């Protein structure tokens, strides 16, 4: 099942929808849990929710289309976006860095989130913006100190995230041994979506092709099986002493092929079986 959050127009309230291949969207406005896919899954459970959504599809008189709605991020509540650095060997090599012996974590604020088909806006202070396609794990339950073999207990589903980076600001901060979170955390620097793909849609998250195209040119392509630290190890490491909450996102790291973007570029970030996230690049002038 693919669950999303949309507005019928920019002024409308956020609405929860289910998606089926072909672009049709079914409104789930009558169901409990408001506009929160993670809360809906928690309340119904996947099997019961699937049955209920199938029943609604069978009797649907009105369907929406992706082209006619405004997308919001696929999580309604997110306390943190946990991001993994250098989690693919080829990306570490292209960055001139060594593969870390243990996961390297940084955070993006929830205010960085934006949705599918929404612009990514670079602030005037940066002139060098780069894309980073990633698989994101959507946390579905409150967990802490979760062992690796129980990692699935934490997962509501998956989505696509594009870890936008002001590379000039990041490299300047690295050069003076300063934190570089700001270069990753500007508004719109965490586009995510279009949907939350539930776990039944992604039986093996460690064997998914990742691609990123800019105006039709493929810049990034690899497979999640190439992760240095897999999802079980990441969930165990992150939850060791830190509580993960429903709606939190774990961005599992990008692949080789990062490159600069220019004004008006259209990025298509795809994770096999999860979705294609499209965003246009805008640079603010001073």
């Amino acid at each position: 099942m693919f669950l999303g959050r949309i507005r019928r127009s920019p002024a409308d309230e956020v609405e929860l929808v289910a998606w089926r291949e072909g672009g049709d969207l079914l409104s789930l406005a009558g169901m409990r849990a408001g506009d929160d896919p993670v809360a809906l899954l928690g309340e119904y459970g996947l099997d019961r929710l699937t049955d209920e959504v199938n029943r609604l599809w069978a009797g649907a008189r009105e369907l929406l289309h992706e082209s006619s709605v405004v997308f919001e991020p696929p999580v309604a509540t997110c306390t943190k976006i946990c991001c993994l650095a250098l989690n693919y060997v080829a990306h570490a090599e292209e960055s001139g860095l060594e593969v870390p012996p243990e996961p390297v974590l940084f955070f993006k604020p929830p205010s960085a989130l934006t949705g599918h088909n929404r612009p990514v806006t670079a602030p005037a202070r940066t002139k060098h913006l780069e894309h980073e396609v990633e698989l994101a794990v959507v946390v579905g339950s409150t967990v802490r100190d979760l062992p690796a073999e129980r990692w699935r207990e934490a997962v509501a589903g998956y989505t696509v995230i594009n870890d936008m980076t002001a590379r000039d600001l990041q490299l300047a901060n690295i050069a003076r041994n300063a934190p570089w979170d700001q270069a990753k955390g500007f508004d719109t620097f965490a586009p995510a979506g279009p949907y939350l793909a539930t776990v039944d849609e992604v039986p093996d998250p460690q064997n998914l092709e990742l691609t990123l195209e800019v105006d039709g040119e493929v810049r990034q392509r690899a497979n999640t099986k190439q992760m240095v630290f897999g999802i079980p190890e990441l969930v165990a490491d992150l939850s060791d002493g830190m509580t993960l909450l429903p709606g939190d996102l774990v961005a599992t790291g990008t692949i080789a092929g990062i490159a600069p973007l220019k004004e008006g570029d259209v990025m298509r970030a795809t994770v096999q079986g999860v979705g294609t996230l499209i965003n246009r690049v805008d640079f603010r002038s001073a």
Side-chain angles (χ1 to χ4, degrees), residues 234-277:
L234 293 178
V235 170
D237 183 77
L238 293 173
S239 70
D240 182 2
M242 181 174 71
T243 302
L244 301 178
L245 296 170
D248 287 350
L249 298 177
V250 178
T252 56
T254 199
I255 57 180
I258 57 174
L261 295 155
K262 64 181 186 302
E263 175 73 23
D265 278 348
V266 176
M267 303 172 290
R268 294 177 61 90
T270 301
V271 178
Q272 177 188 4
V274 177
T276 296
L277 171 69

Side-chain angles (χ1 to χ4, degrees), residues 100-146:
E102 56 187 33
V104 175
L105 172 68
F106 64 93
F107 294 95
K108 284 179 181 262
S111 56
L113 284 168
T114 192
H116 172 62
N117 280 335
R118 307 290 284 276
V120 168
T121 304
R125 65 198 303 168
T126 180
K127 306 302 179 188
H128 186 160
L129 183 66
E130 292 191 353
H131 52 75
E132 298 188 10
V133 60
E134 306 189 15
L135 171 68
V137 176
V138 181
V139 176
S141 57
T142 301
V143 297
R144 179 178 169 178
D145 302 326
L146 192 69

Side-chain angles (χ1 to χ4, degrees), residues 13-144:
E13 295 294 321
V14 177
E15 189 172 341
L16 185 62
V17 293
W19 174 82
R20 280 187 175 175
E21 191 171 357
D24 287 330
L25 302 173
L26 172 72
S27 174
L28 302 181
M31 302 187 75
R32 297 189 295 272
D35 70 337
D36 188 344
V38 176
L40 193 69
L41 280 164
E43 181 171 348
Y44 281 80
L46 180 57
D47 290 343
R48 181 181 165 211
L49 180 60
T50 299
D51 290 343
E52 184 67 15
V53 170
N54 286 339
R55 184 186 66 80
L56 292 173
W57 274 109
R61 296 185 178 180
E62 177 193 15
L63 295 176
L64 305 171
H65 195 272
E66 291 176 306
S67 62
S68 66
V69 302
V70 179
F71 280 85
E72 294 293 328
V75 290
T77 302
C78 178
T79 69
K80 50 191 170 294
I81 306 169
C82 306
C83 303
L84 279 300
L86 306 175
N87 200 29
Y88 289 83
V89 173
H91 173 56
E93 290 175 344
E94 74 175 348
S95 303
L97 299 169
E98 294 182 0
V99 176
E102 56 187 33
V104 175
L105 172 68
F106 64 93
F107 294 95
K108 284 179 181 262
S111 56
L113 284 168
T114 192
H116 172 62
N117 280 335
R118 307 290 284 276
V120 168
T121 304
R125 65 198 303 168
T126 180
K127 306 302 179 188
H128 186 160
L129 183 66
E130 292 191 353
H131 52 75
E132 298 188 10
V133 60
E134 306 189 15
L135 171 68
V137 176
V138 181
V139 176
S141 57
T142 301
V143 297
R144 179 178 169 178

